[in-house]
Amino acid sequence: RIPALREGERVRIVDTRTNTEYTKPPDYLQESELIALMDQHGIGTDASIPQHIKNICDRHYVDVCGPMQEDGQRGQIIQMRKPFKKGGGPQQQQQPKPTSRHMVPRPFGLAFLACFEELDKELCDPKIRAYMEQQVTKIATGETDKNDVVESTLKLFHEKFN
């Protein structure tokens, strides 16, 4: 316990210690966290979100990996299951189920994002994607006409980039 001190009061130092600690980078976003963020921002539906995840993996924007290792390196890449082939063939050894699935950006995904940020940072804003999703929903429900949405979107982009 530290006794109450007054300004200017002298104290005797009995012992000093230093403790060196290092920070670790934050872990990569988990797949479940990405899904929660998409839901929070109104991006995708329960039916379409798995397809969005599959698309970013298939397009090589990210790898799905297990948790980050103690040294800060990404976890082991989780192999996506291939569809079952008729006729069997040699059985592949199953990977142990990871405790979590992290979305680790690949260089191509980072470069793709950087291009959009350089072109127009607003294109990377979740509100833009959510707006697009709302427009598609309005088309699907008959609330608005597809041609009107296409025309207004093209007008917006022409104003933005001309």
Side-chain angles (χ1 to χ4, degrees):
R1 183 175 164 159
I2 299 175
L5 299 173
R6 290 186 307 258
E7 188 175 338
E9 185 177 345
R10 292 182 178 249
V11 293
R12 191 174 129 231
I13 298 175
V14 179
D15 186 23
T16 61
R17 293 181 214 147
T18 61
N19 187 16
T20 303
E21 294 186 18
Y22 298 94
T23 60
K24 274 186 11 180
D27 208 349
Y28 296 106
L29 193 66
Q30 290 185 39
E31 187 175 28
S32 60
E33 294 168 323
L34 175 60
I35 291 168
L37 286 168
M38 290 174 73
D39 188 47
Q40 175 186 336
H41 291 286
I43 298 171
T45 63
D46 289 344
S48 69
I49 286 176
Q51 186 62 46
H52 288 304
I53 303 286
K54 183 179 181 318
N55 287 345
I56 63 174
C57 292
D58 289 351
R59 293 173 184 165
H60 306 289
Y61 300 152
V62 300
D63 284 324
V64 179
C65 299
M68 188 165 51
Q69 299 173 17
E70 287 298 314
D71 62 0
Q73 297 296 311
R74 75 176 187 189
Q76 181 181 3
I77 294 176
I78 298 170
Q79 300 298 321
M80 303 308 261
R81 291 204 171 102
K82 302 283 185 220
F84 178 76
K85 288 185 180 178
K86 198 172 184 179
Q91 288 284 354
Q92 290 185 347
Q93 191 175 12
Q94 290 286 338
Q95 280 184 301
K97 188 171 180 158
T99 55
S100 58
R101 296 169 52 91
H102 292 77
M103 311 300 286
V104 180
R106 296 182 79 178
F108 180 67
L110 293 171
F112 192 74
L113 175 63
C115 288
F116 272 101
E117 287 178 327
E118 188 171 322
L119 179 64
D120 183 355
K121 197 161 181 76
E122 191 178 29
L123 292 174
C124 304
D125 190 336
K127 289 182 280 189
I128 299 297
R129 179 59 189 249
Y131 174 77
M132 292 167 60
E133 297 266 349
Q134 291 166 358
Q135 296 307 303
V136 170
T137 300
K138 286 180 180 181
I139 293 168
T141 60
E143 194 175 330
T144 191
D145 182 63
K146 175 185 126 185
N147 293 331
D148 293 340
V149 170
V150 170
E151 188 178 311
S152 68
T153 302
L154 287 174
K155 181 181 176 198
L156 181 105
F157 278 92
H158 281 284
E159 289 169 0
K160 191 180 235 343
F161 296 112
N162 277 339

